[in-house]
Amino acid sequence: MSAAHSGEVGAEAIRPPGATVRRAPSRSSRKRESSESLNQNGHRVTIDQVAREAGVSTATVSRVLAGIGSVNATMAAEVKRVAATLGYRPFGAARDLASGHHRSIGVVVPDLANPYFYDIIQSAQTAAAKDGYRMLIADSGGDPATELSMCEDLLSQAGGLIVQSSRMDVTALKSLAAHNSPVVLINRVEYGVDLPHVGVDNFSAMLEICHHLTSLGHSKAVYLAGPASSWQNQERWRAIQQARMMGLEATAITAEPTIQGGYAATDAALVERPTAIIAFNDLVASGVLARLRELGVDVPKKMSVTGFDDIVFAKFTQPALTTAVTPRAVLGEQAWKILKARLNGHALPEVPLVKAEVLIRDSSAAPPER
Amino acid sequence: MSAAHSGEVGAEAIRPPGATVRRAPSRSSRKRESSESLNQNGHRVTIDQVAREAGVSTATVSRVLAGIGSVNATMAAEVKRVAATLGYRPFGAARDLASGHHRSIGVVVPDLANPYFYDIIQSAQTAAAKDGYRMLIADSGGDPATELSMCEDLLSQAGGLIVQSSRMDVTALKSLAAHNSPVVLINRVEYGVDLPHVGVDNFSAMLEICHHLTSLGHSKAVYLAGPASSWQNQERWRAIQQARMMGLEATAITAEPTIQGGYAATDAALVERPTAIIAFNDLVASGVLARLRELGVDVPKKMSVTGFDDIVFAKFTQPALTTAVTPRAVLGEQAWKILKARLNGHALPEVPLVKAEVLIRDSSAAPPER
DNA sequence: CTGTTAGCGCTTTCAT
DNA sequence: ATGAAAGCGCTAACAG
């Protein structure tokens, strides 16, 4: 093969004499003190070096490493060997620029310290990784303004976005949609906003919880509500209100969506003299349980408590929590599926809200006789 | 200002006649169907468009948007206005390529579903974001082999790596170190491997837990061990063995580092007839508590149980868990501090292992009389 | 099947 | 203070 086997002399020598003489590359003196992924000599190993060393063209190296097209087996092996020897790792930015799209997707969540989000992140990450995408994550702290700018920001490094339980108002959401970038919402449904979403059918599940309670004989409950801007909270509360027709009287008291929040709000809830406390989620319910125990209120004999989500701990609280299983892994996969379709310009698959199964455990029972 | 105000005709027209004629750009026909961040017309808004529209050079736009160097205030305002109007968002890959380094760091954890890692991830993310870095996260699933390849992989998209509780063996760690890339380890100390680390002083904290137990009168305990390849587990076990000189006899039984794991391993632990069960972490301890409750074994009267980490739930278990507070947020910040120094070519700051404070709650007490 | 080569969009000299 | 222009390292036409 009389390939461009130029060895060490190569490139410079074969430049045609008539070519415009380029100004000597001042670049050689450009600062390069930040040592990120450089080899021993302080230089990044590039695809050109691999190509030269292996006696092939950069195109071939690219093909071999990407596993695209067909290449002579011997050649491929040699390329791989050289790449390994040199410790070559492609420079992602160059690849993305050349191919015209980022290989990362951004994920923004309201609170990285909340276990609820991790199951979704985990499954989305696994699914995306399978397709060669990495995941950038960011914590908006639950602040709507931060959330929007965070999204805008990520969009310059990511090919698409998965936005979890967005707290943005409709205007912000619309302005995000106007970017025309691949974005999918998780657990935020907003008609009139042109953004695909996946989510849990909170309404049905909460209605079922209410039904469970009324069939047990409860008629007076307190809802420890989550953030007002949260769609999930709105849906859950809507269901509880709907349950009035089943004979369930309920008032809402806002609580921080954390264990501490539930703990702190319990006393206020008790003032209403309910026989059941419906918590926004399992975190809140756990806090309620803890406070009730302190207060000596027997659960479920004197008070029924329900959660939502079925986080790992729900099964191990004392007593074990009655809750609704929101299939988080499914949500993550669905979100990626839609995003992927969007990235590839395919038609978006229709995914209905995911049903949440209600799990009756030990924290709910018939109300005490009055 | 007679700037290059070329309007729409611009570029092509002013090309000097003597210049080498480039082959007509076949690029115009290159596929561009993947709609990622394109504007209405299906084209990405580039810095050139902004520059042209604003009647300045791309260099100026770059300066304005990066806030670097000094630019005429009026001009800057105009550039910003145009950029906003056009919906311009810089293409991260191009920026990274031009500047020579990635603006992301990779974070790999053994298990994204483990709450222990949340606080670390969150604080590291916040700290890094402040310096303009994004965070790529990946879940290795706790598999050493996957972990290494995952790191290699990330290194082509990230400027540096934070590796949590690495389970890689020394050889793998060394090969990672050999890349000479900015990597910092969290909770994995390996002398002889040239990689900076931050971590918790597991040994001292566990020794203190043991001391707490012996001073209560315990002399026979079972350690529900974590993964053998985990440095934290090794350190904790080392402390327990050390505690023999304080009169604590202990045997180790391996358990999955999860609630389920603790639950499942409890029966085997009981066979040893200990008066105390020392769990690898809070998750395991929670499982133990759940099983013990089922079995009717009173904690702490009949059995003392201790955890490690002080995850949010530790305070709310029944009874509340005696544990060691590992300051996760501090770890995340320290890790970023070191990584940043490394990325900038500064000297690495020396950070000693973080002390963990032992928190005596209700799950530990004097052993029953025999 | 393989090599050549033109850019991808941006930053950063360097010259003005 | 501003502009011109040279690439950063890689991919993907395109031509053989």
Side-chain angles (χ1 to χ4, degrees), chain A residues 350-361:
Chain A
E350 272 302 319
V351 296
L353 290 185
V354 179
K355 291 291 171 199
E357 185 196 354
V358 173
L359 228 53
I360 314 286
R361 284 200 277 239

Side-chain angles (χ1 to χ4, degrees), chain B residues 91-364:
Chain B
F91 192 66
R95 181 204 298 205
D96 287 358
L97 177 56
S99 64
H101 68 274
H102 292 291
R103 255 91 173 168
S104 308
I105 58 164
V107 175
V108 2
V109 301
D111 177 20
L112 270 180
N114 186 335
Y116 175 80
F117 301 111
Y118 302 171
D119 300 324
I120 303 188
I121 293 179
Q122 190 178 40
S123 68
Q125 197 266 146
T126 307
K130 226 166 265 164
D131 294 305
Y133 278 78
R134 311 273 160 274
M135 209 168 87
L136 288 164
I137 62 166
D139 184 334
S140 74
D143 176 52
T146 309
E147 204 185 315
L148 181 56
S149 70
M150 205 157 241
C151 286
E152 312 257 42
D153 221 80
L154 276 176
L155 243 12
S156 87
Q157 320 221 140
L161 246 44
I162 291 181
V163 184
Q164 281 223 58
S165 305
S166 177
R167 311 277 211 259
M168 278 185 248
D169 60 35
V170 181
T171 313
L173 230 36
K174 278 186 175 160
S175 98
L176 183 59
H179 281 314
N180 215 359
S181 304
V183 173
V184 20
L185 264 24
I186 294 188
N187 282 326
R188 171 69 187 261
V189 181
E190 200 68 68
Y191 296 106
V193 172
D194 188 24
L195 247 24
H197 63 254
V198 301
V200 167
D201 183 353
N202 290 280
F203 182 84
S204 300
M206 185 54 100
L207 203 55
E208 196 177 330
I209 287 180
C210 291
H211 176 68
H212 163 62
L213 254 20
T214 55
S215 67
L216 241 29
H218 293 272
S219 58
K220 172 66 184 160
V222 166
Y223 174 53
L224 253 29
S229 54
S230 151
W231 171 76
Q232 308 214 71
N233 177 62
Q234 290 161 17
E235 287 293 290
R236 291 171 197 179
W237 175 230
R238 195 163 66 83
I240 293 169
Q241 286 173 299
Q242 184 75 241
R244 190 177 300 271
M245 45 180 281
M246 306 187 310
L248 189 69
E249 196 76 31
T251 56
I253 293 181
T254 299
E256 282 291 304
T258 60
I259 301 185
Q260 294 294 355
Y263 182 92
T266 303
D267 291 17
L270 256 24
V271 172
E272 304 285 332
R273 307 192 59 69
T275 57
I277 295 180
I278 302 173
F280 169 61
N281 65 20
D282 290 347
L283 251 27
V284 173
S286 300
V288 171
L289 251 28
R291 179 59 181 150
L292 253 23
R293 189 187 310 137
E294 252 180 36
L295 256 25
V297 178
D298 187 293
V299 176
K301 283 188 196 134
K302 294 291 182 191
M303 183 73 69
S304 287
V305 176
T306 63
F308 213 103
D309 290 341
D310 191 38
I311 60 177
V312 269
F313 290 95
K315 191 170 163 185
F316 298 99
T317 54
Q318 173 68 327
L321 215 48
T322 288
T323 190
V325 189
T326 51
R328 272 116 41 211
V330 175
L331 250 32
E333 284 157 17
Q334 285 185 343
W336 172 242
K337 188 171 153 196
I338 292 185
L339 196 51
K340 184 164 84 167
R342 182 74 169 67
L343 287 168
N344 297 324
H346 297 336
L348 302 190
E350 272 303 320
V351 296
L353 290 185
V354 179
K355 290 291 170 199
E357 186 197 353
V358 172
L359 228 53
I360 314 286
R361 285 200 275 240
D362 312 327
S363 66
S364 54

Side-chain angles (χ1 to χ4, degrees), chain B residues 64-81:
Chain B
V64 171
L65 267 33
I68 290 175
S70 34
V71 243
N72 177 295
T74 327
M75 206 170 234
E78 174 63 1
V79 167
K80 282 180 187 158
R81 193 190 61 73

